[in-house]
Every structure is written in structure tokens, then in C-alpha cells.
Amino acid sequence: MDVDEFWLFLHRSRQMTSDPDERLQWLTLHLAQRPPARIVDFQILLNQVRRRSDTYDMWEAADLICGGCSTDGFWYFQAWLIGLGRDIFERVVANPDNLAEVPEVQRLAERPMGGWADDEWPGWEALSYVAAGAYEEATGVEDGVYDAMEERGHSDQSDPQPSGLSWRLREPEAMDQRLPRLSRMFQPGES
């Protein structure tokens, strides 16, 4: 599996259904039908793609949208962003303020956070475990995908390791300049 096939696979799941749980079922089922090496490829590519969004700029955008974003919350946000598809992902990685153009984000900005449905929340933790489930289904080996990754010289990432200017060095009052459109949509501290 190469990166184009990875993105196509995610795109097809989104064409089938917008429900996150149904997408996970589709992904697991169809991934489990592939050779184990391709399942491992999927997890490696997921980690590599996720790494591209692993920046403090993106975390700041997630923090603004979610009214606060923990380490785990940012990890889930990155998976959600990947799940939106390649075009959106590329635009947002180029500039996190481009999240203001994403229809899912625009819908969230229209109402208070307390009114967000569970399936609207910008997080998709379970995407991180699709390959493990598919690998187990295909081979019968629980968590075998991680051993197979290590045999190929890859380790599984389980937390963000953001690059860029750390939170401690940022001027909070300059957020309006860093994320002007998102700052207008989501006022810091409001929910």
C-alpha cells in the first residue's frame, strides 16, 4: 500500500457512510481482506501522515475549536483530520487557519459546544486501532501489527510529538494573528 492507496481507502470509507463507527467497521473489514503486509503498511502510513499534522500550530487550532485540547484530545483530533480526506488534510496542514473553511468546523462554530453531538466532535480515536483490529482478524494475532511494524523498523506512535514553537513560548494575545479566521469563529474561553 502506498500513500495514494491509503488516502483512496479512507475516501472510499467516507463515500460509504459518514457515521464514524460504520466507517471503522468498513475500514476494518476491507483492510482485513488484504495481505498482512498491506495492513502493516496502512498503520505505518497512518503514523507518517499523522506526523505531518503534529505541530504546535495545529494543536493551537484544535485547542481553539475544542475550547481546550489535551494531549489525548489532540491525538484524536489528528485522526479526525485525516478522516476528513486528503484535500482537506493538505490544505489544513499547509495552514491550520484553513480549518475555518471546513464544513464540519463551520457547523460546530454555529452553536455552543454543549450542543455538539458525539459523532460531530472533532476527534476519531478509533482510527488509530483499525489496522490492529484488521491484522488480528486476518492473522489471529492480537496486537501483531505492532510487532510486524517493529520487524520492518517502525515503531508505533501513541502520542503527539509536536514540532514548532512550544506553548510556553507563544504569546496568547497573538492568536488572532496566527489564526485570524478561527479566532473569529471560536472565541477563546467560550463554549
Side-chain angles (χ1 to χ4, degrees):
M1 178 178 289
D2 64 16
V3 71
D4 292 326
E5 188 177 357
F6 169 85
W7 282 114
L8 182 59
F9 204 65
L10 286 169
H11 176 73
R12 285 186 182 148
S13 75
R14 191 173 170 115
Q15 285 180 315
M16 298 305 292
T17 179
S18 62
D19 179 84
D21 292 333
E22 290 175 11
R23 282 185 74 190
L24 292 170
Q25 291 172 359
W26 188 95
L27 286 165
T28 302
L29 174 70
H30 289 83
L31 197 55
Q33 295 171 1
R34 300 183 183 262
R38 304 277 297 268
I39 300 170
V40 175
D41 290 343
F42 181 89
Q43 185 64 44
I44 291 169
L45 288 163
L46 177 63
N47 291 348
Q48 290 172 347
V49 168
R50 176 183 248 138
R51 183 70 187 123
R52 294 188 50 225
S53 68
D54 202 1
T55 67
Y56 281 108
D57 290 341
M58 189 68 71
W59 198 342
E60 184 173 39
D63 189 73
L64 183 59
I65 292 168
C66 298
C69 190
S70 67
T71 301
D72 287 346
F74 183 48
W75 187 247
Y76 309 154
F77 180 88
Q78 290 171 314
W80 172 80
L81 181 59
I82 292 167
L84 294 177
R86 189 177 204 169
D87 291 341
I88 290 174
F89 181 84
E90 294 295 342
R91 281 196 319 267
V92 171
V93 165
N95 178 359
D97 199 43
N98 287 338
L99 279 159
E101 300 167 7
V102 175
E104 290 82 353
V105 173
Q106 292 171 345
R107 281 193 292 276
L108 294 175
E110 292 173 354
R111 50 193 202 285
M113 192 180 303
W116 297 359
D118 287 342
D119 64 348
E120 292 179 304
W121 196 266
W124 199 21
E125 175 186 8
L127 180 61
S128 302
Y129 312 116
V130 164
Y135 193 91
E136 182 176 354
E137 189 172 315
T139 66
V141 180
E142 186 177 348
D143 293 331
V145 72
Y146 306 115
D147 294 333
M149 287 174 62
E150 285 186 27
E151 288 172 10
R152 290 173 51 182
H154 295 271
S155 59
D156 189 50
Q157 184 181 350
S158 59
D159 284 314
Q161 299 170 358
S163 61
L165 188 61
S166 169
W167 292 107
R168 290 179 201 66
L169 303 175
R170 290 177 179 251
E171 296 178 30
E173 57 277 356
M175 183 188 302
D176 291 350
Q177 294 170 347
R178 290 189 299 271
L179 302 168
R181 293 177 294 162
L182 283 176
S183 292
R184 283 191 299 274
M185 292 170 72
F186 298 92
Q187 296 299 315
E190 285 187 9
S191 58

